[in-house]
């Protein structure tokens, strides 16, 4: 197993697009949209890293997951986007390894904070199917995982809920914002 840079022309970019289209179809409904996202993430101003395993019988490597990040507040804050793991390889440490590797890549660039959005489009948290207005932060303070929402993974990785965007994906479908300081205070 190895974690590698995904750069323009890398032979694993098609696999990265296939993973996006398969695992995150709400964001990338077809392979062409996923390919465009992968291509955008290979821009040198961004970070894209892939978790690979050697190919069978000397064949090409297989991409088991990948992660990306882009600068949001110059020099200080980057967004983790996206994180995707191949179907059937969940809960094997791939996501964890990718997040830790990404944080180290960003630390080397002098980044202070990493944030991300984790949509709840399937009613997996206490924030779904609720009118979060007029006080979204009161609801966020009582956030509960009801059905294995990914925010629980990020909390285990040290990220903390810092905001919520009500109705981001339609009525009752919020985007949960999480962040983590990765630099020494």
């Amino acid at each position: 197993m190895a974690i590698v840079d995904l750069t323009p022309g890398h032979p694993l970019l098609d696999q990265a697009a296939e993973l996006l289209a398969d695992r995150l179809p709400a964001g990338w409904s077809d392979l062409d949209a996923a390919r465009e996202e992968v291509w955008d993430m290979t821009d040198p101003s961004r970070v894209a890293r892939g978790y690979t395993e050697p190919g069978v019988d000397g064949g090409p490597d297989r991409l088991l997951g990948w992660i990306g990040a882009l600068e949001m507040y110059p020099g200080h804050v980057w967004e983790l986007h996206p994180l995707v793991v191949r179907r059937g390889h969940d809960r094997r440490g791939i996501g964890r390894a990718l997040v830790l590797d990404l944080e180290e890549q960003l630390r080397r660039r002098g980044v202070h904070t990493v944030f991300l959005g984790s949509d709840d489009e399937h009613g997996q948290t206490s924030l779904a199917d609720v009118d979060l207005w007029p006080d979204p932060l009161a609801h966020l303070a009582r956030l509960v995982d009801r059905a294995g929402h990914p925010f629980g993974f990020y909390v285990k990785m040290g990220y903390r809920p810092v905001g919520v965007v009500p109705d981001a994906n339609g009525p009752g479908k919020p985007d949960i914002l999480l962040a983590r300081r990765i630099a020494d205070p």
Side-chain angles (χ1 to χ4, degrees):
M1 308 300 176
I3 297 179
V4 299
D5 282 318
L6 297 177
T7 55
H10 196 287
L12 295 175
L13 296 184
D14 277 341
Q15 289 185 48
E18 290 165 4
L19 286 178
L20 275 183
D22 178 51
R23 294 306 303 262
L24 303 172
W28 299 277
S29 57
D30 62 43
L31 197 50
D32 286 338
R35 280 189 183 110
E36 186 174 330
E37 178 69 18
V38 170
W39 178 254
D40 288 348
M41 292 308 298
T42 65
D43 184 288
S45 69
R46 298 177 175 192
V47 174
R49 305 275 288 167
Y51 187 102
T52 67
E53 71 176 359
V56 178
D57 296 327
D61 287 352
R62 184 170 180 222
L63 188 67
L64 298 183
W66 73 278
I67 194 168
L70 55 151
E71 187 175 40
M72 297 306 289
Y73 297 90
H76 302 289
V77 180
W78 282 54
E79 179 183 7
L80 184 162
H81 169 83
L83 171 60
V84 60
V85 174
R86 183 175 294 279
R87 192 177 302 280
H89 289 80
D90 298 314
R91 302 188 191 285
R92 295 185 185 181
I94 295 168
R96 177 176 165 58
L98 285 167
V99 170
L100 292 173
D101 176 79
L102 178 72
E103 290 174 352
E104 182 56 31
Q105 300 299 315
L106 296 177
R107 259 188 224 97
R108 291 179 189 163
R109 292 178 181 226
V111 173
H112 298 188
T113 302
V114 177
F115 87 95
L116 62 104
S118 189
D119 297 320
D120 187 357
E121 298 180 84
H122 305 291
Q124 295 176 293
T125 74
S126 58
L127 301 180
D129 303 318
V130 172
D131 184 2
L132 300 177
W133 300 104
D135 195 355
L137 295 181
H139 289 278
L140 182 64
R142 298 184 303 270
L143 175 61
V144 174
D145 182 4
R146 293 187 172 153
H149 188 276
F151 94 84
F153 163 78
Y154 292 109
V155 168
K156 288 178 186 171
M157 295 295 302
Y159 289 77
R160 295 295 174 254
V162 295
V164 60
V165 181
D167 306 327
N169 302 287
K173 297 179 180 183
D175 190 7
I176 303 164
L177 305 177
L178 299 106
R180 177 175 181 194
R181 178 188 291 156
I182 61 169
D184 292 331

